[in-house]
Amino acid sequence: MSRENIHRFDPNARWTWREEQALVRKIDWKIMLWTCIMFCALEMDRANIRQAVTDDLLPELGLTTNDYNVGNSLFALSFLLAEVPSQLISKRLGPDRWIPIQMVLWSLVAASQFSMAGRARYMVSRVLLGGLQGGFIPTVVLYLSYFYKAHELTIRMGFFWAAMVVADIFAAFSAFALLHLRGVGGLSGWRWLFLIEGLVTLVFGLLSFGLMPAGPTQTASWFRGKKGWFTPREEVILVNRVIRDDPSKGDMHNREPLTFRLLFKSLCDYDLWPLYLIGLTNHIPFATPNIYLTLSLKGMGFTTFQTNLLVIPSQLLHIMNMLILVYLSQAINQMSMVAVISQFWAIPFLVWLRFVDTTAVSKWTTWLVMTVFLGSPYAHPIQVGWVSRNSNTVRSRTVGSAMYNMCVQAGSIISSNIYREDDAPRYQRGNSVLLTAVAFNIVLYFSTKAYYLYRNRQRERVWDRMTESERFTYLATTNDAGNKRLDFRFAS
């Protein structure tokens, strides 16, 4: 909670549980719902390439599946490289300004793929799209932290990523309709797909200028109403409940830029490095088969329209399992031991893909295996909330979220290059690599758990040796900040 809300800060403020719960529901409707819609827009423009390739995009542009891999890698690389610069711009302009600008810019690039021709144009469009979308996710996470407590944010992240899967389901249905436009104006269906979905995102981007307030006490505007969304009483509750949950949220202004000294200090926060490594590797076993799902289904003999509809069941299962995983993590207050479940989920399916000749079994059997496999519980929402909780300052949270997402995108680059054309169609070598990644991830999750428990025990020994007066003096005078404070305990 930043300094522009200081006029609502009141250490003596009191409120009832019923008042706070009613306010949280209001925040969900006013703030959370629109952020989910914006994420749907990002996912539509990011992932509709998977629908486009079912409509012969690759042969029509003269591309191979290796070119497709390179395009996906370039998208992830530009997305990765844009993370920190985007976060720095966001801290200067404010998320309420920067996110709508991002959406308008990337929607124009997405729609311009309508006229794409040749390998060079394909590669350039992937680079531009990734560069303009980079930083969106950590910026939204930071923005939501202005309104929610730490434990509330973890659950909301579950719904945030559920919105991504909802977008994938919607994209499958919309692709089924839009790809039927093949022949209209003498053009391919994938061209109409890019144009129409890009223009829809443009509308969402323009609406976001009016639907994203700068902060809890800045909701009044011509678009949102002169009185804003929250009453003075609600603003007092909103500001003070978040400050009491995390006092560091009072350290910075929403539009206060990060200095390079603070940026460097955040990057050197070694206590977050285990989470960055998890971000790099945890999704690789699932991302590689998912990238190739539509191409694989098409190669098995399903039609373009069957392929786009057959991906929907795995996405519905994915949403259900992801939300169950997030609620389980919240219920038992465990991160590592819950997030690692997804890795154990992958083992039997990757073993099946590695050792069974998928070209000799029914295509429906292979589809069923892939559907259950890719319906896996997704640990990413837990891990985003984990980074936020273990940062414990706005500065570290801003950079930490960006660094974590950079590692996720680096993992996407790795994922895009595991299945190679010379390994098709069974990808035995690729699936062996994925099984190795699963084993590494399981060890990594348990090691991260052990590391944070060790760090907590170190602090508890020092804290327990201090007298009450020494603790009081420490809390009143210490220069330790964020997760370096002796009274801070890491979530594990």
Side-chain angles (χ1 to χ4, degrees), residues 194-208:
F194 284 138
L195 178 64
I196 293 172
E197 291 188 351
L199 293 177
V200 169
T201 302
L202 177 61
V203 173
F204 287 154
L206 294 173
L207 287 173
S208 295

Side-chain angles (χ1 to χ4, degrees), residues 275-409:
L275 298 181
Y276 299 157
L277 186 55
I278 285 175
L280 175 68
T281 64
N282 85 101
H283 197 53
I284 289 174
F286 307 94
T288 299
N290 191 49
I291 291 168
Y292 270 78
L293 181 60
T294 51
L295 278 176
S296 297
L297 292 176
K298 191 80 184 293
M300 283 188 276
F302 292 108
T303 68
T304 296
F305 305 111
Q306 285 176 329
T307 295
N308 283 293
L309 293 179
L310 284 173
V311 301
I312 293 173
S314 65
Q315 291 162 347
L316 290 172
L317 184 61
H318 190 58
I319 289 179
M320 181 183 70
N321 285 330
M322 177 177 63
L323 292 177
I324 290 172
L325 200 72
V326 170
Y327 273 105
L328 176 62
S329 174
Q330 186 65 31
I332 65 176
N333 195 29
Q334 290 288 327
M335 303 293 187
S336 301
M337 297 300 97
V338 174
V340 76
I341 291 173
S342 61
Q343 303 301 317
F344 287 105
W345 179 287
I347 292 173
F349 302 105
L350 286 175
V351 168
W352 190 89
L353 290 171
R354 170 61 182 83
F355 294 104
V356 173
D357 184 357
T358 54
T359 62
V361 299
S362 164
K363 64 182 181 180
W364 288 104
T365 300
T366 303
W367 168 78
L368 181 61
V369 170
M370 293 300 296
T371 294
V372 180
F373 174 30
L374 296 178
S376 62
Y378 191 34
H380 193 51
I382 295 173
Q383 289 155 194
V384 170
W386 198 359
V387 172
S388 182
R389 286 177 64 175
N390 282 0
S391 299
N392 203 42
T393 65
V394 173
R395 164 184 50 80
S396 294
R397 190 173 291 117
T398 300
V399 180
S401 295
M403 287 298 299
Y404 172 80
N405 213 46
M406 287 175 68
C407 291
V408 171
Q409 296 310 314

Side-chain angles (χ1 to χ4, degrees), residues 47-58 60 113-114 170-197 294-295 298 302-311:
N48 57 10
I49 187 71
R50 294 200 291 264
Q51 282 82 40
V53 296
T54 68
D55 194 45
D56 295 331
L57 177 143
L58 297 183
E60 289 181 14
Q113 294 175 107
F114 169 82
F170 177 79
F173 282 117
S174 66
F176 181 81
L178 295 175
L179 294 180
H180 274 95
L181 294 177
R182 171 173 281 272
V184 175
L187 298 171
S188 302
W190 60 263
R191 295 188 184 275
W192 291 112
L193 177 76
F194 284 138
L195 178 64
I196 293 172
E197 291 188 351
T294 51
L295 278 176
K298 191 80 184 293
F302 292 108
T303 68
T304 296
F305 305 111
Q306 285 176 329
T307 295
N308 283 293
L309 293 179
L310 284 173
V311 301

Side-chain angles (χ1 to χ4, degrees), residues 70-82 106 109 113 116 119-134:
V70 172
N72 287 326
S73 298
L74 288 174
F75 172 89
L77 179 62
S78 58
F79 198 104
L80 180 158
L81 294 175
W106 91 54
V109 172
Q113 294 175 107
M116 192 161 54
R119 186 176 187 273
R121 287 283 298 276
Y122 166 73
M123 298 299 178
V124 169
S125 71
R126 301 315 292 171
V127 169
L128 289 176
L129 195 60
L132 290 170
Q133 290 186 338

Side-chain angles (χ1 to χ4, degrees), residues 124-165:
V124 169
S125 71
R126 301 315 292 171
V127 169
L128 289 176
L129 195 60
L132 290 170
Q133 290 186 338
F136 172 88
I137 295 171
T139 300
V140 167
V141 174
L142 177 66
Y143 179 71
L144 290 174
S145 73
Y146 299 160
F147 298 90
Y148 290 107
K149 296 179 182 179
H151 74 278
E152 294 169 344
L153 190 59
T154 301
I155 295 293
R156 269 70 190 179
M157 285 297 95
F159 285 102
F160 184 67
W161 263 274
M164 180 186 75
V165 185

Side-chain angles (χ1 to χ4, degrees), residues 6 189 239 381:
I6 195 66
V239 168

